[in-house]
Amino acid sequence: MSENTSMHGFWKSRWLFILAATGSAVGLGNIWKFPYITGENGGGAFVLVYLLCICIIGIPVMIAEVSLGRMGRQSPINTMKALAKRSNASPNWAIIGWMGALAGFLILSFYSVIAGWALSYTVDMANGDFVKISAEESGNIFGALLGSPTQLTIWHTVFMLLTIGIVARGVNAGLENAIKFLMPVLFILLFILFGYALSSDGFSQGVNFMFSFDFSKLTTESIMVALGHAFFTLSLGLGAIMAYGAYMPANTSIAKTVVIVAFLDTAVAIMAGLAIFPIVFANGLEPSAGPGLLFQTLPIAFGQMSAGVIFGTLFFVLVSFAAWSSAISLAEPIVAWIVERFQVSRYKAAAIIGLSAWVLGLATVFSFNIWSDVKLFDKTPFDLLDFLTTNILLPLGGLCIAIFAGWKVSTTKMMDEVGIDYPVLFKLWLFTLRFLAPLAIIAVLVNGLI
Ligand code: PHE
């Protein structure tokens, strides 16, 4: 069983852990990225591969990551140090913590910029800027936002302040309070928008697009995208979920809890897709519009519908809230580590990380305008950060977590911790963690890199 102290505090109940972990998992990944990569990768077949990745790799790795967190009860870096020692494994396993903290920091820097778009769109929507606009005008609005370093920086700053403000206040006064408010509102908004899409003309076309399997559209690249996204959307491989696990009450079953979180995350992604594609089809727009799908395509549709100002505003509030609760979890592992390592207050630690991530975020801001021609491996700084973290660091982190939890920690300790009641299921989980998940991750990583 795990130790029972955490200097950062505990979630007050199992449900608060579920809300917090779901808050971390549900974010831009579900509402912005999932619909557009589904669109780019041809729809149904991609969705199927993604679902398989969630079930076969995502859930087992997530159980392992939360378990390691609860066993260590500290920031991921120190948790991994302590667990490596306790398991007589090489201290180098702490690399999981370091790599994760780095990935979290890098993601936070660009996540804040994209979340800033959502904040900006919330205001524009409420202003009625999109009423009856043409596709061209919508493109112009999006282009003007991306083209303006000042605008992007302002919203990036607002979002970073919101995020860091919460992390600075700690697990109970900050994270827990924010999540108790954000998550219910998020679910209500999602249901309202889903209900709207359900009644729109394009609903069956949307369902068709997401669930008809055309395997000819599937490439090795799209399989890599699906796996990377499974990690990204479940917040795996970088210690965010490990940090949240460290604050989990001792007597709850990790396995059952994780299944609920993964289910909620997947449900939100599917619902977001089912809310977005019908609106896209009903208005004769293209599903494969890429990253602009949410910001360029969807507003045209909101502009055409009656009460579109209200629905459109609600929609971008939803996106902003989802991004907010995820960004908090990106900052938590490294902020917790600074508090432990340097014995400084959380306020100080959060400020340092917030400021540094903000500065790095400017590279993403400039990727869309003054640096749009600055390319390495044919990628802008933003594309490079996204690729490096989502497609390499997260799967690599997941791989190390699977190997460490599967091979290095004693099986009896693991059995005690994960709370899988049936021996057969436990064996199945262990098998997945030891063989299936590592092999799949390696295959996809190697394939993607060559
Ligand atoms: N899961 C979040 C999303 O889908 C992003 C995230 C990744 C958050 C990794 C924390 C850690 O948007």
Side-chain angles (χ1 to χ4, degrees), residues 174-185:
L175 277 62
E176 217 170 68
N177 277 344
I179 270 135
K180 270 195 276 194
F181 164 72
L182 290 176
M183 297 315 287
V185 177

Side-chain angles (χ1 to χ4, degrees), residues 24-30 107 111 232-235 238 240 326 329-330:
S24 166
V26 172
L28 292 174
N30 305 58
I107 297 179
Y111 206 81
F232 187 84
T233 192
L234 292 178
S235 303
L238 67 62
S326 296
S329 75
L330 285 165

